[in-house]
Amino acid sequence: MNRFKLWPHGALVVAAGALVTALGVYFWMKHEQTATAQELPFAARIQRVDGEVAFSDNRAGAQANQDWIAATANQPFSEGDRIYTRDNARTSLAFNGRNFARLNPNTSLDCLSLRNRRTQLALRDGSAMFDVGYLQPDEIFEVATPNGSVDFVQPGLYNVGFDQNGGVLVSVLSGLAQVAGLGGSGQVNKGEMLTLLGQAASQIALSRLNGQDAGRQVDDYYRYQYPNSYDGRYNNYDAYLNEPNYYDPSRRNVSYQYASSYIPGLNDLDSYGDWQNVSGYGNVWRPRVSNGWVPYQDGQWVNNYPYGPTWVSNESWGYAPYHYGRWANVGNQWYWIPDAANTTPQYAPALVAFVPLNDTNQIGWVPLGPGDNYAPRYYDENWQPRYLQGNVAPARLVNLGIPGAVTVVPVDAFGRAIDPRNVRRIDQARLASTSATLDPLTYTPLRNAVVNSAWGRGKINLPPGIAKKLNDTRVYAGNDITDSRFRKDFARSMRVERVSDQARNQKFNVKDQRGEAQADNGRRQDLRQDLGRVSAEAVKDNKAGKENKDVQRQTRQLEQQQQKDARVAERAQAQTQRQTRQVEQQQARQARVSERAQAQTQRHAQQEQKRQAAPAERARVQDQRAQVQSQRQSQPRMEQRPQPQRPQAQRVAQPARPAQSEARPAPQAAPKQERKQRPPEAQSGGQGNGGGGGKGKGKKP
């Protein structure tokens, strides 16, 4: 027994541990139904965070007190996750390599479905820009809102938000959208804006976008999305319509030639690294990093349901190479080897193998290399693993022998920030006797640290009014929300209902301001033609010396009609501008309301803190007063009992040195000087009064 304790890494212990693990997995999988790889949801990327952005995995269901944490760049999110931008905050999301979204301040977005050919989201507050670069045949990309669903039928740029009256505004800057509410459905074409008022969508207005406002929206989005390459050309909306795909990353970035466009974060690789052709591996990507750099050493581990421990990199480019592909070390340089560009790669929370170091209570991990086995898995609500395929104990690890490739930290530091300057090194000879695993939660100390720890992620408390609104607001989707084995009663808990088939097949009763504008344009064109024809006839009659009163009357009528149509066009444009201003005012009002709610929450917290601290403060003051009083009672106050003989001694000693006495600015210097000038009789008479002198005795003779 003692030999086994002193020999933890021996072959017998390793074999026994592997056998127990294999038997446990076998009997567990025999009795439990496991999801297929197709049932696992995809993962999207939070690619940029500006300001305070809150994130929740919503595992608590539709409850106002669910936990919100601070979102970070490169953080994955998936079905059931919720994102909320606070005041003056923005964030951009990547659903894959060509479909993106940008959330404006005070905006809520929930992920309802993220699967093959199906992306379903819920917008409950604020506004967001959706940049859809590619859609497969029959692919669904829709946004559910409280007033109806917005389905993006074609690739394009869309803005969805709320006005000050609670109406949902759908602006199609390019592309084609299908909108369905309880009152019917209809399409919104490029350059149009649809307004849905109320959940019943009883009032629906369709109008033309104002070109100047549309240009500002497009310019603002591209300036945020591509800050290093955007040149401001889309400030003119017509310029955008003429070439809307100029900044499509699949056209501009080399990375899309060598890796699948399904991968989020692929658009960052060109800016932070270079592609090279390496013998035996083909086209691979190398980041521009310093010597000695190693993958998976600058970031943090977080626990994401249902995938478990997930790597979140601090590097700007650090999403795609850490969740797809493999890493190879060639010539002391690390290269990322992606899957083939024509494949649909499978997301992984981290492509590493874990190396437990039992005797030192440490855990290490090493990047998986080409050919290394990986076991796709997920975890249930009790954090029990579900293996889809593969063996959790890899047969070999090509990078295990690379010096410095294994990152080692204490188990209790696993969930804290990992800094490459603070990682621990391990002797390569010692690694030969260790047993690696692909599932970190099979290591009991690490499992306890993961499951029972908050992992140090900053908690965010949303104002109670906002949290309640996000949970209580019902949204309507145009398509069914697919049931998930990872979320019980998912549609109900997320407060999502489907628009009925009857409503979807019924056309909207639309106040078509767009049609009025088209008619106005047509009438103006006809009037211009009539005016030109009449003017030509008038010129001909004048040349012949004839006066044609009918022609003059028709000319005046045409001019009047043209002026009338111009006023109608101006009113339509003014109405569009008013609607745009209403959206801006609503967003500003929402920001002010959120600020007031946050300030009120802070005041309440401060008042509560003061109230709780008041008894202790009063007790402390009373204790101090009691101590001071006790000291005063126990000690004589000598400074308050002047000695009557000390001033007398000074007065007797000082008459011989009048110059020094005059030089001292003491409070009683002047009276002393007078007494020195008195005769001896006056001085002896003043001593009986304590040095102050009697009346009339201080006068000179």
Side-chain angles (χ1 to χ4, degrees), residues 211-398:
Q212 186 175 4
D213 295 335
R216 282 198 297 264
Q217 290 186 43
V218 177
D219 178 75
D220 178 70
Y221 169 74
Y222 277 90
R223 195 173 299 278
Y224 184 87
Q225 181 73 0
Y226 304 105
N228 298 325
S229 58
Y230 179 63
D231 59 4
R233 67 179 56 212
Y234 287 161
N235 186 49
N236 186 314
Y237 183 49
D238 291 333
Y240 168 73
L241 294 178
N242 291 334
E243 197 173 9
N245 298 322
Y246 182 81
Y247 288 99
D248 186 347
S250 65
R251 296 177 53 188
R252 299 171 62 90
N253 293 26
V254 178
S255 301
Y256 287 78
Q257 300 178 17
Y258 306 125
S260 172
S261 61
Y262 284 93
I263 300 177
L266 204 62
N267 55 307
D268 283 337
L269 300 186
D270 283 17
S271 300
Y272 296 97
D274 304 285
W275 288 90
Q276 302 177 21
N277 191 289
V278 177
S279 178
Y281 298 112
N283 292 302
V284 296
W285 180 79
R286 179 178 180 270
R288 303 188 192 107
V289 292
S290 59
N291 293 332
W293 176 88
V294 177
Y296 295 98
Q297 282 194 356
D298 188 3
Q300 183 177 4
W301 290 97
V302 299
N303 200 25
N304 277 354
Y305 178 78
Y307 286 104
T310 301
W311 179 254
V312 178
S313 172
N314 290 333
E315 294 142 327
S316 300
W317 50 266
Y319 187 87
Y322 290 129
H323 301 291
Y324 302 89
R326 296 290 193 273
W327 285 92
N329 189 282
V330 180
N332 293 326
Q333 301 290 340
W334 288 96
Y335 294 88
W336 179 57
I337 305 174
D339 296 325
N342 59 352
T343 62
T344 303
Q346 186 176 9
Y347 166 83
L351 289 160
V352 299
F354 293 89
V355 183
L357 303 173
N358 298 324
D359 56 341
T360 58
N361 199 30
Q362 293 178 326
I363 186 71
W365 56 86
V366 60
L368 294 181
D372 285 349
N373 178 49
Y374 175 73
R377 62 187 179 275
Y378 66 91
Y379 299 88
D380 62 16
E381 294 182 347
N382 297 319
W383 295 108
Q384 295 299 323
R386 302 287 191 263
Y387 303 110
L388 304 181
Q389 60 186 23
N391 187 354
V392 296
R396 67 184 185 93
L397 295 170
V398 298

Side-chain angles (χ1 to χ4, degrees), residues 617-633:
E617 181 65 18
R618 286 196 297 269
R620 186 183 65 82
V621 172
Q622 291 176 357
D623 292 341
Q624 290 180 349
R625 290 177 178 175
Q627 292 176 3
V628 171
Q629 185 175 4
S630 176
Q631 292 176 358
R632 289 178 178 177
Q633 293 176 355

Side-chain angles (χ1 to χ4, degrees), residues 566-637:
R567 289 193 296 270
V568 172
E570 291 176 357
R571 286 196 296 270
Q573 184 177 6
Q575 184 174 1
T576 302
Q577 292 175 351
R578 283 196 301 272
Q579 293 176 343
T580 303
R581 286 194 297 270
Q582 288 176 355
V583 175
E584 296 174 351
Q585 292 172 358
Q586 174 67 10
Q587 293 177 354
R589 185 177 294 103
Q590 292 175 349
R592 291 193 296 270
V593 170
S594 178
E595 290 175 358
R596 288 195 295 269
Q598 184 178 7
Q600 185 177 4
T601 302
Q602 292 176 352
R603 285 196 300 271
H604 290 336
Q606 293 174 356
Q607 292 174 358
E608 180 64 18
Q609 185 177 4
K610 291 180 179 179
R611 187 185 66 80
Q612 294 177 357
E617 181 65 18
R618 286 196 297 269
R620 186 183 65 82
V621 172
Q622 291 176 357
D623 292 341
Q624 290 180 349
R625 290 177 178 175
Q627 292 176 3
V628 171
Q629 185 175 4
S630 176
Q631 292 176 358
R632 289 178 178 177
Q633 293 176 355
S634 60
Q635 298 179 2
R637 294 186 294 178

